[in-house]
Amino acid sequence: MKQAQDAFESLVTKDFSTASFDDVKTVALAMWHENFVPRVDHLTDFSAQAAGYVVDKLMRFNCVSQELKRRLCELVARLRATVKISPVEVKGCDKLAQQWGLMCDLKLQVRQLLEFQTRHYSHV
């Protein structure tokens, strides 16, 4: 399995229509259960928008601790402040992705993560 940062970068540097479920799962599990906060300072504008969406999407789940949620909110705020975002309207696309200016989303992959969305999930 890829390391969380590698999976995150693979995820946000490509169109979500070609996103690997393994990358989504790796990032989600690391964020939800290992307090993973991705590094984003080196990303292009498009990748930063995608990164903002991924972090914004995954931090909304109840399995994220309050401390991690605070750190992720700061990251999202920093991305919003540094990247020019032009919201779009795309039928069938996640509203959050549209707010980040993206034409594609990860809702199908995120639905597959249901069994991992618990504070009691054990990855060992």
Side-chain angles (χ1 to χ4, degrees), residues 4-124:
Q5 185 65 36
D6 293 336
F8 180 78
E9 289 184 22
S10 177
L11 188 58
V12 302
T13 56
K14 301 175 193 158
D15 190 88
F16 289 146
S17 64
T18 62
S20 156
F21 174 71
D22 286 338
D23 286 345
V24 175
K25 179 181 172 185
T26 297
V27 173
L29 290 178
M31 192 175 290
W32 294 342
H33 304 294
E34 299 168 17
N35 294 318
F36 171 62
V37 177
R39 294 182 309 277
V40 298
D41 295 334
H42 61 288
L43 299 176
T44 65
D45 282 354
F46 171 79
S47 293
Q49 284 176 262
Y53 165 69
V54 169
V55 172
D56 203 353
K57 181 84 172 169
L58 294 176
M59 74 178 193
R60 294 170 183 253
F61 291 86
N62 289 332
C63 48
V64 177
S65 71
Q66 289 302 311
E67 172 58 24
L68 179 60
K69 192 171 283 196
R70 183 191 61 73
R71 292 172 55 206
L72 295 172
C73 281
E74 290 171 1
L75 177 63
V76 166
R78 193 170 78 228
L79 286 168
R80 284 193 186 279
T82 58
V83 179
K84 183 179 182 326
I85 300 170
S86 299
V88 295
E89 288 189 34
V90 181
K91 186 176 173 102
C93 184
D94 180 348
K95 295 281 188 211
L96 186 60
Q98 293 178 60
Q99 290 171 5
W100 279 96
L102 303 172
M103 307 283 281
C104 199
D105 60 38
L106 293 173
K107 65 183 172 190
L108 294 177
Q109 293 91 334
V110 171
R111 282 186 197 148
Q112 296 175 50
L113 296 171
L114 182 60
E115 66 185 289
F116 308 109
Q117 297 172 15
T118 172
R119 289 181 194 260
H120 307 293
Y121 169 75
S122 174
H123 58 284
V124 271

